[in-house]
Amino acid sequence: MTTPPVRIERNDPPTPSVVTDLPFKSQLVKAVFRDVTSLHVSRSAAWAAASVTRTVLTEIIEGARSAAAEEARKRLIPKDLISAIDRNVEAEVGSEWYLHSPTFHGLMGEVRNADGAPVSLRERRGARTPSGVAGAHRFEAGVRRLLRSRGVRAVPAMVRDLDGIASVFLTDLARDAAKVVREGGVKRFGTVSLVVPGEPAPAPLLKDPLLALSTRRGDGRTVGGDDVLAAVTMQLFGDLRQRAITEAVEMTRNTSAN
């Protein structure tokens, strides 16, 4: 009788992957990039873009949750989204979506043309629906997953708005990242300094990590992680920008280590 081979069981715990914590998968992120550019998108770029989008949506959701809590509600409604953006100007992203959502109708103000005639909503939207708006439905699963991770629920209209904001923001982020590649860096990045009259202007912050992103390294055919971070400096500002960059860098570093 032949003795069966001994099976050696490995008891090493599986290495956790931080990528599984991202609500928006790299396949979806790369699909958004394909909508706006033919450049190759690296894995680090996809992970960074997914991380930044998560950070932005989390900021909005937390602001909306605070607004709902003031009225002792556990489910988020579109009114909470408006409150979150009103209270935190840094969270006002994906503004292209506002023209397509009933939540924001009446809040955008009246626009008139050179002749003084009111510009209709259809004219303001443009002749073609932007890809970020057309592809918003792709983000529903990720948005619902993010809501669950924050311990909140939202009515369908609120989910739809979060889908749209995420889609438009990521589309704009992808477009700017591709522009960084084409132009070899951030050409419209700058800083504002306060100068006291009669005193010399302060020296530029050469060691500022955000300024370091304005100069690009790498080939001109691939969108890399640093290109996405450079695009973040064009899309976001303030504490939200810094947090988005920090979390994206940390996420890609941990992923590479695993």
Side-chain angles (χ1 to χ4, degrees):
M1 181 176 179
T2 304
T3 303
V6 178
R7 297 180 59 188
I8 301 177
E9 296 184 0
R10 298 184 60 180
N11 295 322
D12 297 334
T15 302
S17 174
V18 293
V19 177
T20 59
D21 295 332
L22 293 174
F24 308 111
K25 303 302 181 183
S26 61
Q27 296 91 329
L28 172 59
V29 174
K30 289 187 176 183
V32 173
F33 271 82
R34 285 195 297 269
D35 288 340
V36 298
T37 181
S38 60
L39 295 172
H40 175 71
V41 181
S42 68
R43 287 188 298 175
S44 62
W47 293 333
S51 175
V52 171
T53 306
R54 176 185 61 183
T55 302
V56 169
L57 265 290
T58 299
E59 182 80 3
I60 294 174
I61 290 172
E62 288 301 315
R65 181 165 68 171
S66 297
E70 293 175 0
E71 298 182 4
R73 283 186 288 100
K74 296 183 178 180
R75 179 170 292 186
L76 306 184
I77 61 177
K79 181 175 68 171
D80 301 324
L81 174 60
I82 295 176
S83 297
I85 294 175
D86 282 345
R87 297 177 184 182
N88 183 2
V89 67
E90 294 178 11
E92 189 175 337
V93 299
S95 56
E96 196 174 84
W97 173 255
Y98 302 163
L99 293 176
H100 296 263
S101 170
T103 299
F104 298 94
H105 288 179
L107 298 178
M108 302 297 291
E110 187 179 65
V111 177
R112 295 180 177 271
N113 59 22
D115 298 326
V119 179
S120 68
L121 184 59
R122 182 182 296 275
E123 292 174 311
R124 292 166 65 184
R125 286 177 176 177
R128 185 181 67 85
T129 302
S131 59
V133 173
H137 63 281
R138 298 179 292 181
F139 287 77
E140 181 175 351
V143 166
R144 291 189 181 277
R145 182 180 178 185
L146 184 57
L147 286 167
R148 288 194 299 269
S149 72
R150 310 309 298 179
V152 294
R153 295 179 298 166
V155 299
M158 177 69 169
V159 173
R160 178 205 62 213
D161 281 330
L162 292 174
D163 292 350
I165 291 174
S167 181
V168 170
F169 170 75
L170 184 53
T171 299
D172 290 342
L173 188 67
R175 186 177 292 111
D176 280 345
K179 186 174 183 179
V180 169
V181 176
R182 292 194 305 270
E183 297 184 352
V186 181
K187 301 303 182 183
R188 54 191 176 95
F189 181 87
T191 58
V192 177
S193 301
L194 297 179
V195 180
V196 178
E199 295 186 6
L205 301 177
L206 297 178
K207 296 184 179 180
D208 190 331
L210 296 181
L211 292 178
L213 292 172
S214 63
T215 302
R216 183 179 188 273
R217 296 183 300 273
D219 65 69
R221 301 181 302 275
T222 302
V223 179
D226 285 345
D227 299 320
V228 172
L229 298 183
V232 172
T233 67
M234 301 159 67
Q235 289 290 324
L236 302 176
F237 67 95
D239 292 339
L240 179 57
R241 177 174 68 180
Q242 186 60 61
R243 186 163 63 255
I245 291 176
T246 300
E247 292 180 2
V249 169
E250 187 66 22
M251 193 277 301
T252 52
R253 181 186 299 121
N254 291 340
T255 304
S256 299
N258 290 335

